[in-house]
Amino acid sequence: GAGVSQSPSNKVTEKGKDVELRCDPISGHTALYWYRQSLGQGLEFLIYFQGNSAPDKSGLPSDRFSAERTGGSVSTLTIQRTQQEDSAVYLCASSRDHGSDAQYFGPGTRLLVL
Amino acid sequence: RKEVEQDPGPFNVPEGATVAFNCTYSNSASQSFFWYRQDCRKEPKLLMSVYSSGNEDGRFTAQLNRASQYISLLIRDSKLSDSATYLCAVCEGKSTFGDGTTLTVKP
């Protein structure tokens, strides 16, 4: 079956521009997660959705970061006024339900801010 | 102190060796436990769940020690293709990932 998909796979942008990253979870998965990973580092939790609600936004690094999920499916992570330190791989994962189920990751979006 | 801690390694072992990784967690209410494998410049992939009674999948054995609050992953007869970073995940309401242990299997 289809796994988690993310687009674009790579994004190069200039400092100060806004970017939108998209995640399509596995069909039927109610929980969706966004993480950020810098080269050689661990996963940094950003936000998770249960359905269309985001009970935990504690990981968003600043108010330049926002995310939404519509129809209990696709999610978009938006970074406004990008900075060079935003450069990283942004990973999306989904699970059947939140809390105790395994997460399945998409291939990530590699973001480079020049 | 981090909620989930792993020895970052690297672990460098010869082919055929047995290697074990531990992952300690601080939340005693944690309910679910998993091991993931992450290859260089790839996303983490679920390797196996960790059950209370311990479980095995081929050359891989996962164990849970609730009393001491750690999980372990044992890899027997290491292959070159086992070279990767191994992440543990501990779940109680939300999943918390360790930073990973890097394994390099050498000929």
Side-chain angles (χ1 to χ4, degrees):
Chain A
V4 178
S5 61
Q6 292 186 245
S7 61
S9 53
N10 293 280
K11 177 72 178 177
V12 181
T13 191
E14 293 179 348
K15 178 181 171 181
K17 301 279 190 182
D18 297 353
V19 295
E20 279 191 358
L21 312 180
R22 176 188 166 109
C23 172
D24 265 289
I26 293 172
S27 178
H29 279 195
T30 62
L32 185 148
Y33 308 80
W34 283 100
Y35 297 90
R36 179 167 74 173
Q37 188 173 38
S38 299
L39 191 63
Q41 303 299 309
L43 296 172
E44 178 186 1
F45 168 79
L46 299 178
I47 186 172
Y48 97 86
F49 289 89
Q50 182 66 41
N52 293 333
S53 301
D56 189 351
K57 306 179 184 179
S58 62
L60 294 177
S62 75
D63 59 8
R64 296 187 296 105
F65 288 72
S66 63
E68 65 175 13
R69 188 178 185 195
T70 55
S73 182
V74 172
S75 176
T76 303
L77 177 69
T78 302
I79 309 173
Q80 296 178 309
R81 305 181 302 282
T82 52
Q83 303 293 311
Q84 289 182 330
E85 61 263 29
D86 299 335
S87 298
V89 176
Y90 289 81
L91 290 159
C92 173
S94 70
S95 66
R96 281 182 307 170
D97 199 356
H98 174 64
S100 59
D101 289 329
Q103 296 181 23
Y104 297 86
F105 286 81
T109 293
R110 284 171 178 72
L111 175 66
L112 177 61
V113 182
L114 300 176
Chain B
R1 183 189 171 193
K2 288 186 176 181
E3 290 181 53
V4 178
E5 296 202 60
Q6 295 184 251
D7 181 343
F11 284 62
N12 297 308
V13 302
E15 268 187 294
T18 296
V19 61
F21 311 130
N22 280 347
C23 167
T24 59
Y25 60 94
S26 60
N27 187 348
S28 59
S30 298
Q31 302 169 351
S32 306
F33 308 86
F34 305 94
W35 282 103
Y36 290 77
R37 170 194 171 123
Q38 186 171 25
D39 292 288
C40 188
R41 299 181 66 81
K42 297 286 189 180
E43 74 274 22
K45 292 188 188 297
L46 179 66
L47 181 64
M48 59 197 301
S49 303
V50 185
Y51 302 122
S52 296
S53 55
N55 48 298
E56 191 174 302
D57 182 2
R59 297 181 294 108
F60 298 82
T61 300
Q63 292 192 312
L64 166 64
N65 185 318
R66 284 194 185 272
S68 300
Q69 294 183 204
Y70 73 87
I71 61 173
S72 63
L73 178 68
L74 181 79
I75 306 175
R76 290 182 300 277
D77 189 23
S78 300
K79 311 291 185 191
L80 296 177
S81 57
D82 293 335
S83 297
T85 296
Y86 291 84
L87 308 172
C88 63
V90 176
C91 308
E92 196 286 312
K94 75 172 194 179
S95 293
T96 302
F97 285 81
D99 287 341
T101 297
T102 299
L103 171 67
T104 301
V105 181
K106 300 190 173 182

